[in-house]
Every structure is written in C-alpha cells, then in structure tokens.
Coordinates of all heavy atoms in Angstrom, one line a residue:
M187 N 109.2 93.0 96.7 CA 110.1 94.2 96.8 C 109.7 95.2 95.6 O 109.5 94.9 94.5 CB 111.5 93.8 96.5 CG 112.3 93.3 97.7 SD 112.5 94.7 98.9 CE 114.1 95.3 98.2
H188 N 109.5 96.5 96.0 CA 109.3 97.5 95.1 C 108.0 97.4 94.2 O 107.9 97.8 93.2 CB 110.4 97.8 94.2 CG 111.7 98.2 94.9 ND1 113.0 97.7 94.7 CD2 111.8 98.9 96.0 CE1 113.8 98.3 95.5 NE2 113.2 99.0 96.3
K189 N 107.0 96.7 94.9 CA 105.7 96.4 94.2 C 105.0 97.7 93.9 O 104.2 97.8 93.0 CB 104.9 95.4 95.0 CG 103.9 94.7 94.3 CD 103.4 93.4 95.0 CE 102.6 93.9 96.2 NZ 102.0 92.7 97.0
N190 N 105.2 98.7 94.9 CA 104.5 100.0 94.7 C 105.3 101.0 93.9 O 104.9 102.2 93.9 CB 104.1 100.4 96.1 CG 103.0 99.8 96.6 OD1 102.5 98.6 96.2 ND2 102.3 100.3 97.6
N191 N 106.3 100.6 93.3 CA 107.1 101.6 92.5 C 107.0 101.5 91.1 O 106.7 100.3 90.5 CB 108.6 101.4 92.9 CG 108.8 101.7 94.3 OD1 108.8 100.8 95.3 ND2 109.3 103.0 94.7
C192 N 107.0 102.6 90.4 CA 106.9 102.8 88.9 C 108.1 101.9 88.3 O 109.2 102.1 88.7 CB 106.9 104.1 88.5 SG 106.9 104.4 86.7
R193 N 107.8 101.0 87.3 CA 108.7 100.3 86.6 C 109.6 101.1 85.8 O 110.7 100.6 85.4 CB 108.1 99.3 85.7 CG 107.3 98.2 86.5 CD 106.4 97.3 85.5 NE 105.9 96.2 86.3 CZ 105.3 95.2 85.6 NH1 105.2 95.2 84.4 NH2 104.8 94.1 86.3
V194 N 109.3 102.3 85.5 CA 110.1 103.1 84.5 C 110.9 104.0 85.3 O 112.1 104.1 85.1 CB 109.1 104.0 83.6 CG1 110.0 105.0 82.9 CG2 108.4 102.9 82.6
C195 N 110.3 104.8 86.3 CA 111.1 105.8 87.0 C 111.4 105.5 88.5 O 112.1 106.2 89.1 CB 110.4 107.1 86.9 SG 109.0 107.4 87.9
G196 N 110.7 104.5 89.1 CA 110.9 104.1 90.5 C 110.0 104.9 91.4 O 110.2 104.7 92.7
Y197 N 109.3 105.8 91.0 CA 108.4 106.6 91.8 C 107.6 105.7 92.8 O 107.0 104.8 92.3 CB 107.5 107.6 91.0 CG 106.7 108.5 91.9 CD1 107.1 109.7 92.4 CD2 105.3 108.2 92.0 CE1 106.4 110.5 93.1 CE2 104.6 109.0 92.8 CZ 105.1 110.1 93.4 OH 104.2 111.0 94.1
E198 N 107.5 106.1 94.1 CA 106.8 105.2 95.0 C 105.4 105.7 95.1 O 104.9 106.9 95.2 CB 107.3 105.4 96.4 CG 106.5 104.5 97.3 CD 107.1 104.0 98.5 OE1 108.5 104.4 98.7 OE2 106.6 103.3 99.3
L199 N 104.5 104.8 94.7 CA 103.0 105.0 94.6 C 102.3 104.5 95.8 O 102.9 103.8 96.5 CB 102.5 104.3 93.3 CG 103.1 104.7 92.0 CD1 103.3 103.5 91.1 CD2 102.2 105.8 91.3
A200 N 101.0 105.0 95.9 CA 100.2 104.5 97.1 C 99.6 103.1 96.9 O 98.9 102.6 97.7 CB 99.2 105.5 97.4
Y201 N 99.8 102.6 95.7 CA 99.2 101.4 95.3 C 100.1 100.5 94.4 O 100.9 101.2 93.7 CB 97.8 101.7 94.6 CG 98.0 102.5 93.3 CD1 98.2 101.9 92.1 CD2 98.0 103.9 93.5 CE1 98.5 102.7 91.0 CE2 98.3 104.8 92.3 CZ 98.5 104.1 91.2 OH 98.8 104.8 90.1
P202 N 99.9 99.3 94.2 CA 100.8 98.5 93.2 C 100.3 98.9 91.8 O 99.2 98.5 91.4 CB 100.6 97.1 93.7 CG 99.3 97.0 94.4 CD 99.0 98.4 95.0
P203 N 101.1 99.5 90.9 CA 100.7 99.9 89.6 C 100.2 98.6 88.7 O 99.5 98.8 87.8 CB 101.9 100.6 89.0 CG 103.0 100.1 89.8 CD 102.5 99.8 91.1
W204 N 100.7 97.4 89.1 CA 100.4 96.2 88.4 C 99.6 95.3 89.2 O 99.5 94.0 88.9 CB 101.6 95.5 87.7 CG 102.0 96.2 86.4 CD1 102.6 97.4 86.2 CD2 101.9 95.6 85.2 NE1 102.7 97.6 85.0 CE2 102.3 96.6 84.2 CE3 101.3 94.3 84.7 CZ2 102.2 96.2 82.8 CZ3 101.3 94.1 83.3 CH2 101.8 95.0 82.4
G205 N 99.0 95.8 90.3 CA 98.2 94.9 91.1 C 99.0 94.2 92.0 O 100.1 94.1 91.9
D206 N 98.3 93.4 92.9 CA 99.1 92.7 94.0 C 99.9 91.5 93.4 O 100.9 91.2 93.9 CB 98.0 92.1 95.0 CG 97.7 93.1 96.0 OD1 98.6 94.0 96.3 OD2 96.6 93.1 96.5
D207 N 99.3 90.9 92.2 CA 100.1 89.8 91.6 C 101.0 90.3 90.6 O 101.6 89.5 89.9 CB 99.0 88.8 91.1 CG 98.1 89.4 90.1 OD1 98.3 90.6 89.7 OD2 97.2 88.7 89.6
G208 N 101.1 91.5 90.2 CA 102.0 92.1 89.3 C 101.5 91.7 87.9 O 102.3 91.8 86.9
E209 N 100.2 91.3 87.7 CA 99.8 90.9 86.4 C 98.5 91.6 86.0 O 98.0 91.3 84.9 CB 99.5 89.5 86.4 CG 100.5 88.6 87.0 CD 100.9 87.4 86.2 OE1 100.1 87.0 85.3 OE2 102.0 86.9 86.3
D210 N 98.2 92.5 86.7 CA 96.9 93.3 86.4 C 97.1 94.8 86.5 O 96.9 95.4 87.5 CB 95.9 92.8 87.6 CG 94.4 93.3 87.3 OD1 94.2 93.7 86.2 OD2 93.7 93.4 88.3
P211 N 97.4 95.3 85.4 CA 97.8 96.8 85.3 C 96.6 97.7 85.7 O 95.4 97.3 85.4 CB 98.2 97.0 83.9 CG 97.7 95.9 83.1 CD 97.6 94.7 84.0
S212 N 96.9 98.8 86.3 CA 95.9 99.7 86.9 C 95.4 100.7 85.8 O 94.3 101.3 85.9 CB 96.4 100.4 88.0 OG 97.4 101.2 87.7
W213 N 96.3 100.9 84.7 CA 96.1 101.9 83.7 C 96.0 103.2 84.2 O 95.5 104.2 83.5 CB 94.8 101.6 82.8 CG 94.7 100.2 82.3 CD1 94.0 99.1 82.7 CD2 95.5 99.7 81.2 NE1 94.3 98.0 82.0 CE2 95.2 98.3 81.1 CE3 96.5 100.2 80.4 CZ2 95.7 97.5 80.2 CZ3 96.9 99.4 79.4 CH2 96.6 98.0 79.3
E214 N 96.6 103.4 85.4 CA 96.8 104.8 86.0 C 98.0 105.4 85.4 O 98.8 104.7 84.7 CB 96.9 104.7 87.5 CG 95.8 104.2 88.3 CD 94.6 105.2 88.4 OE1 94.9 106.3 88.2 OE2 93.5 104.6 88.6
I215 N 98.2 106.8 85.5 CA 99.4 107.5 85.1 C 100.4 107.8 86.1 O 99.9 108.2 87.1 CB 99.0 108.7 84.3 CG1 97.9 108.4 83.2 CG2 100.1 109.5 83.8 CD1 98.3 107.9 81.9
C216 N 101.6 107.4 85.9 CA 102.6 107.8 86.9 C 102.7 109.3 87.0 O 103.0 110.0 86.0 CB 104.1 107.2 86.4 SG 105.3 107.6 87.7
P217 N 102.6 109.9 88.2 CA 102.7 111.2 88.4 C 104.0 111.8 88.1 O 104.2 113.0 87.7 CB 102.3 111.5 89.9 CG 102.3 110.2 90.5 CD 102.3 109.2 89.6
C218 N 105.0 110.9 88.0 CA 106.4 111.4 87.8 C 106.6 111.4 86.3 O 106.8 112.4 85.6 CB 107.3 110.6 88.7 SG 109.1 111.1 88.4
C219 N 106.8 110.1 85.8 CA 107.3 110.0 84.4 C 106.2 110.1 83.4 O 106.4 110.0 82.2 CB 108.1 108.8 84.3 SG 107.3 107.2 84.6
G220 N 105.0 109.9 83.9 CA 103.8 109.9 82.8 C 103.6 108.6 82.2 O 102.7 108.5 81.2
T221 N 104.1 107.6 82.7 CA 103.9 106.2 82.1 C 102.6 105.7 82.4 O 102.1 106.0 83.6 CB 105.0 105.2 82.7 OG1 106.2 105.5 82.1 CG2 104.6 103.7 82.4
E222 N 101.8 105.1 81.5 CA 100.6 104.5 81.7 C 100.8 103.0 82.1 O 101.4 102.3 81.3 CB 99.6 104.6 80.5 CG 98.3 103.9 80.8 CD 97.3 104.3 79.7 OE1 97.7 105.0 78.8 OE2 96.2 103.7 79.7
F223 N 100.5 102.7 83.3 CA 100.8 101.3 83.8 C 100.0 100.3 83.1 O 98.7 100.4 83.0 CB 100.4 101.2 85.4 CG 101.2 102.2 86.1 CD1 100.5 103.1 87.0 CD2 102.6 102.4 85.9 CE1 101.1 104.1 87.8 CE2 103.2 103.4 86.6 CZ 102.5 104.3 87.5
G224 N 100.7 99.4 82.3 CA 100.0 98.5 81.4 C 100.3 98.8 80.0 O 100.0 98.1 79.1
Y225 N 100.9 99.9 79.7 CA 101.3 100.3 78.3 C 102.8 100.4 78.2 O 103.4 99.4 77.8 CB 100.6 101.6 78.1 CG 100.8 102.1 76.6 CD1 100.5 101.3 75.6 CD2 101.2 103.5 76.4 CE1 100.8 101.8 74.2 CE2 101.4 103.9 75.1 CZ 101.2 103.1 74.1 OH 101.4 103.6 72.8
E226 N 103.4 101.5 78.5 CA 104.8 101.6 78.2 C 105.7 100.7 79.1 O 106.8 100.5 78.8 CB 105.4 103.1 78.4 CG 104.8 104.1 77.4 CD 103.7 104.9 78.1 OE1 102.9 104.4 78.9 OE2 103.8 106.1 77.8
D227 N 105.1 100.2 80.2 CA 105.9 99.4 81.2 C 105.6 98.0 81.1 O 105.8 97.3 82.1 CB 105.7 100.0 82.5 CG 104.2 99.8 83.0 OD1 103.3 99.6 82.2 OD2 104.0 99.9 84.3
C228 N 105.0 97.5 80.0 CA 104.5 96.0 80.0 C 105.7 95.1 79.9 O 105.6 93.9 80.3 CB 103.5 95.8 79.0 SG 103.9 96.2 77.5
T229 N 106.9 95.4 79.4 CA 108.0 94.6 79.3 C 109.3 95.3 79.9 O 109.3 96.6 79.8 CB 108.4 93.9 77.9 OG1 108.7 95.1 77.1 CG2 107.1 93.4 77.2
P230 N 110.3 94.6 80.3 CA 111.5 95.2 80.7 C 112.1 96.2 79.6 O 112.6 97.3 79.8 CB 112.5 94.1 81.1 CG 111.5 93.1 81.5 CD 110.3 93.2 80.5
V231 N 112.0 95.7 78.3 CA 112.5 96.5 77.2 C 111.7 97.7 77.0 O 112.4 98.8 76.9 CB 112.5 95.5 76.0 CG1 112.9 96.3 74.7 CG2 113.4 94.4 76.1
S232 N 110.4 97.6 77.1 CA 109.7 98.8 76.8 C 109.8 99.8 77.9 O 109.8 101.0 77.7 CB 108.2 98.5 76.6 OG 107.6 97.9 77.7
A233 N 110.0 99.3 79.1 CA 110.1 100.3 80.4 C 111.4 100.9 80.2 O 111.5 102.1 80.5 CB 110.1 99.5 81.6
K234 N 112.5 100.3 79.7 CA 113.7 100.7 79.6 C 113.7 101.9 78.5 O 114.3 103.0 78.7 CB 114.8 99.7 79.3 CG 116.2 100.1 79.7 CD 117.1 99.0 79.6 CE 118.6 99.5 79.7 NZ 119.5 98.8 79.0
R235 N 113.1 101.6 77.5 CA 113.0 102.5 76.3 C 112.3 103.9 76.8 O 112.7 104.8 76.6 CB 112.3 102.0 75.2 CG 112.4 102.8 73.9 CD 111.6 102.1 72.7 NE 112.0 100.7 72.5 CZ 111.1 99.7 72.2 NH1 109.8 100.0 72.4 NH2 111.6 98.6 72.1
K236 N 111.2 103.7 77.5 CA 110.4 104.8 78.0 C 111.3 105.6 78.9 O 111.3 106.8 78.9 CB 109.2 104.4 78.7 CG 108.5 105.4 79.5 CD 107.6 106.3 78.7 CE 107.1 107.4 79.6 NZ 106.2 108.4 78.9
R237 N 112.0 104.9 79.8 CA 112.9 105.6 80.8 C 114.0 106.4 80.1 O 114.3 107.6 80.4 CB 113.6 104.7 81.6 CG 114.4 105.3 82.9 CD 115.1 104.1 83.7 NE 114.1 103.1 84.1 CZ 114.3 101.9 83.9 NH1 115.5 101.3 83.3 NH2 113.4 101.0 84.2
E238 N 114.6 105.9 79.1 CA 115.6 106.6 78.2 C 115.0 107.8 77.6 O 115.7 108.9 77.6 CB 116.3 105.6 77.2 CG 117.2 104.7 77.8 CD 117.6 103.6 76.8 OE1 117.0 103.4 75.7 OE2 118.3 102.7 77.3
Q239 N 113.8 107.7 77.0 CA 113.2 108.8 76.4 C 112.9 110.0 77.4 O 113.0 111.1 77.2 CB 111.9 108.4 75.6 CG 112.2 107.6 74.4 CD 110.9 106.9 73.9 OE1 109.8 106.9 74.7 NE2 110.9 106.3 72.8
W240 N 112.4 109.5 78.6 CA 112.0 110.4 79.6 C 113.3 111.3 80.1 O 113.2 112.4 80.3 CB 111.3 109.7 80.7 CG 110.9 110.5 81.9 CD1 110.0 111.5 81.9 CD2 111.4 110.3 83.3 NE1 109.9 111.9 83.2 CE2 110.8 111.2 84.0 CE3 112.3 109.5 83.9 CZ2 111.0 111.4 85.4 CZ3 112.5 109.7 85.2 CH2 112.0 110.6 86.0
I241 N 114.3 110.5 80.3 CA 115.5 111.1 80.8 C 116.1 112.1 79.7 O 116.5 113.1 80.2 CB 116.5 110.0 81.2 CG1 116.0 109.3 82.6 CG2 118.0 110.6 81.6 CD1 116.8 108.1 83.0
A242 N 116.1 111.6 78.5 CA 116.6 112.4 77.4 C 115.7 113.7 77.3 O 116.3 114.7 76.9 CB 116.6 111.7 76.1
A243 N 114.5 113.7 77.6 CA 113.7 114.8 77.6 C 113.9 115.8 78.8 O 113.3 116.8 79.0 CB 112.2 114.4 77.5
G244 N 114.7 115.4 79.8 CA 114.9 116.1 80.9 C 114.1 115.8 82.1 O 113.9 116.7 83.0
C245 N 113.5 114.6 82.1 CA 112.7 114.1 83.2 C 111.5 115.0 83.5 O 111.3 115.5 84.7 CB 113.5 113.9 84.5 SG 114.9 112.9 84.3
P246 N 110.7 115.2 82.6 CA 109.5 116.1 82.9 C 108.5 115.4 83.7 O 108.1 114.2 83.5 CB 108.9 116.4 81.5 CG 109.3 115.2 80.7 CD 110.7 114.9 81.2
W247 N 108.1 116.1 84.7 CA 107.0 115.5 85.7 C 105.7 115.6 85.1 O 105.2 116.7 84.6 CB 107.0 116.1 87.1 CG 108.1 115.4 87.9 CD1 109.4 115.3 87.7 CD2 107.8 114.7 89.2 NE1 110.0 114.6 88.7 CE2 109.1 114.3 89.6 CE3 106.7 114.5 90.0 CZ2 109.2 113.5 90.7 CZ3 106.9 113.8 91.1 CH2 108.2 113.3 91.5
F248 N 104.9 114.5 85.2 CA 103.5 114.5 84.7 C 102.7 115.4 85.6 O 101.8 116.1 85.2 CB 103.0 113.1 84.6 CG 101.5 113.0 84.1 CD1 101.3 113.1 82.6 CD2 100.4 112.8 84.9 CE1 100.1 113.0 82.3 CE2 99.1 112.8 84.3 CZ 99.0 112.9 83.0
D249 N 102.9 115.3 86.9 CA 102.2 116.2 87.8 C 103.2 116.9 88.7 O 103.7 116.4 89.7 CB 101.3 115.2 88.8 CG 100.5 116.0 89.8 OD1 100.7 117.2 89.9 OD2 99.6 115.3 90.4
R250 N 103.5 118.0 88.3 CA 104.6 118.8 88.8 C 104.4 119.1 90.4 O 105.2 119.2 91.1 CB 104.7 120.1 88.1 CG 105.2 120.0 86.7 CD 105.7 121.3 86.1 NE 106.9 121.9 86.8 CZ 108.2 121.5 86.6 NH1 108.4 120.7 85.5 NH2 109.1 122.0 87.2
K251 N 103.1 119.1 90.8 CA 102.9 119.4 92.2 C 103.3 118.3 93.1 O 103.6 118.5 94.3 CB 101.3 119.5 92.3 CG 100.6 120.7 91.7 CD 99.2 120.9 92.2 CE 98.3 120.0 91.8 NZ 98.0 119.8 90.5
K252 N 103.5 117.1 92.6 CA 104.0 115.9 93.4 C 105.6 115.9 93.5 O 106.0 115.1 94.2 CB 103.6 114.6 92.8 CG 102.0 114.6 92.8 CD 101.5 113.2 93.3 CE 100.0 113.4 93.7 NZ 99.3 112.3 93.3
K253 N 106.2 116.8 92.8 CA 107.6 116.7 92.8 C 108.2 117.4 94.1 O 107.9 118.6 94.4 CB 108.3 117.4 91.5 CG 109.8 117.4 91.4 CD 110.2 118.1 90.2 CE 111.7 118.0 90.0 NZ 112.2 118.6 88.8
S254 N 109.0 116.7 94.9 CA 109.5 117.3 96.1 C 110.7 118.1 95.8 O 111.4 117.9 94.7 CB 109.9 116.1 97.1 OG 110.9 115.3 96.5
L255 N 111.1 119.1 96.6 CA 112.1 120.0 96.4 C 113.5 119.3 96.3 O 114.4 119.8 95.7 CB 112.2 121.1 97.5 CG 111.0 122.1 97.5 CD1 110.9 123.0 98.7 CD2 111.1 123.0 96.2
D256 N 113.6 118.2 97.1 CA 115.0 117.5 97.1 C 114.9 116.3 96.1 O 115.6 115.4 96.4 CB 115.3 117.2 98.6 CG 114.4 116.2 99.1 OD1 113.3 116.0 98.6 OD2 114.7 115.6 100.1
W257 N 114.0 116.3 95.2 CA 113.9 115.1 94.3 C 115.2 114.8 93.7 O 115.9 115.8 93.2 CB 112.8 115.4 93.3 CG 112.7 114.2 92.4 CD1 112.0 113.1 92.7 CD2 113.1 113.9 91.1 NE1 112.1 112.2 91.8 CE2 112.7 112.7 90.5 CE3 113.7 114.8 90.1 CZ2 112.9 112.2 89.3 CZ3 114.0 114.4 88.8 CH2 113.6 113.1 88.5
D258 N 115.5 113.6 93.5 CA 116.7 113.2 92.9 C 116.5 111.9 92.1 O 116.1 110.9 92.6 CB 117.8 112.8 94.1 CG 119.2 112.4 93.6 OD1 119.8 113.4 93.1 OD2 119.5 111.3 93.5
L259 N 116.9 112.1 90.8 CA 116.6 111.0 89.9 C 117.4 109.8 90.2 O 116.7 108.6 90.3 CB 117.0 111.5 88.4 CG 117.0 110.3 87.3 CD1 115.6 109.9 87.0 CD2 117.8 110.8 86.1
K260 N 118.6 109.8 90.5 CA 119.3 108.7 90.8 C 118.8 107.9 92.0 O 118.7 106.6 92.0 CB 120.9 109.1 91.1 CG 121.8 108.7 90.0 CD 123.2 109.1 90.3 CE 124.1 107.9 90.4 NZ 125.5 108.4 90.6
R261 N 118.4 108.7 93.1 CA 118.0 108.0 94.3 C 116.7 107.3 93.9 O 116.4 106.2 94.3 CB 117.7 109.1 95.3 CG 117.7 108.6 96.7 CD 117.8 109.7 97.7 NE 116.7 110.6 97.6 CZ 116.7 111.9 97.8 NH1 117.8 112.5 98.4 NH2 115.7 112.6 97.6
Q262 N 115.8 108.0 93.2 CA 114.5 107.4 92.9 C 114.7 106.1 92.0 O 114.0 105.1 92.1 CB 113.6 108.3 92.1 CG 112.2 107.8 91.9 CD 111.2 108.8 91.3 OE1 110.9 109.7 92.1 NE2 110.9 108.8 90.2
C263 N 115.7 106.2 91.1 CA 115.9 105.1 90.1 C 116.3 103.8 90.8 O 116.2 102.6 90.4 CB 116.9 105.4 89.1 SG 116.1 106.3 87.8
E264 N 116.9 103.9 92.1 CA 117.2 102.8 92.9 C 116.0 102.0 93.3 O 116.1 100.8 93.7 CB 118.0 103.1 94.2 CG 119.4 103.7 93.8 CD 120.1 104.3 95.1 OE1 119.5 104.2 96.1 OE2 121.1 105.0 94.8
H265 N 114.9 102.5 93.2 CA 113.6 101.8 93.6 C 112.9 101.2 92.4 O 111.7 100.6 92.5 CB 112.7 102.8 94.3 CG 113.3 103.3 95.5 ND1 113.5 102.6 96.6 CD2 113.8 104.6 95.8 CE1 114.2 103.4 97.6 NE2 114.2 104.5 97.1
I266 N 113.5 101.2 91.2 CA 112.9 100.5 90.1 C 113.0 99.1 90.4 O 114.0 98.5 90.8 CB 113.6 100.9 88.7 CG1 113.4 102.4 88.5 CG2 113.1 100.0 87.6 CD1 114.3 103.0 87.4
P267 N 111.8 98.3 90.1 CA 112.0 96.8 90.3 C 113.1 96.2 89.5 O 113.3 96.5 88.3 CB 110.5 96.3 89.9 CG 109.6 97.5 90.0 CD 110.6 98.8 89.7
E268 N 113.8 95.4 90.2 CA 115.0 94.8 89.6 C 114.9 94.4 88.1 O 115.8 94.8 87.5 CB 115.5 93.6 90.6 CG 117.0 93.2 90.4 CD 117.9 94.5 90.8 OE1 117.5 95.2 91.8 OE2 118.8 94.8 90.1
V269 N 114.0 93.6 87.9 CA 113.9 93.1 86.4 C 113.7 94.2 85.4 O 114.0 94.0 84.2 CB 112.9 92.0 86.2 CG1 113.3 90.7 86.7 CG2 111.5 92.5 86.8
F270 N 113.3 95.4 85.8 CA 113.0 96.5 84.8 C 114.1 97.5 84.8 O 114.0 98.4 84.1 CB 111.7 97.1 85.2 CG 110.5 96.2 85.0 CD1 110.1 95.4 86.0 CD2 109.9 96.1 83.7 CE1 108.9 94.5 85.9 CE2 108.8 95.2 83.6 CZ 108.4 94.4 84.6
K271 N 115.2 97.3 85.5 CA 116.2 98.3 85.6 C 117.0 98.2 84.3 O 117.2 97.2 83.6 CB 117.2 97.9 86.7 CG 116.8 98.7 87.9 CD 117.8 98.5 89.1 CE 117.3 99.2 90.3 NZ 118.0 98.6 91.5
Ligands
ZN887 ZN1 107.1 106.6 86.7

C-alpha cells in the first residue's frame, strides 16, 4: 500500500521512492515537498519532522509545474504510508 507515495507529503510518484522492497532509496527528489528519498525520509521521525517544516513554510513545491490546480494538502496527506504518518 502506498509504495509509490512520498513518505513525507504523500505525493504519488511513477516509481517506488524506496524501491520495490522499501529498503533501497532512489535518492531522487520529491517534486512536491523536495524530500530526497533516502535522506529526510529514512525514519518515521525524520519524515514527520520534514513534513512539519514543509507545512510551516507554506508547502512550497520543488517542481511547481507538477502542481495541479486543484491540489489539496489534506487529500494528498492521506496517501502517506501509514507508518510515516
Ligand atoms: Zn514529498
């Protein structure tokens, strides 16, 4: 469940950010929250801290072109993998 979603913001990616087994980070950058997979999201605590900082900063998108017009933070956060919520 939610293997292709960012652990920090829930953004749905075209690939699993931590690989098929969830143990092999891709080191890519989330286009939404700017998290580097394998860095800020390596533990539930660090993912939560990054999320809080990102939300406090007003949820800036790393790649603004990918932001849809009807984007909704709450709706996207529902897709955060359960253990990282
Ligand atoms: Zn993200």
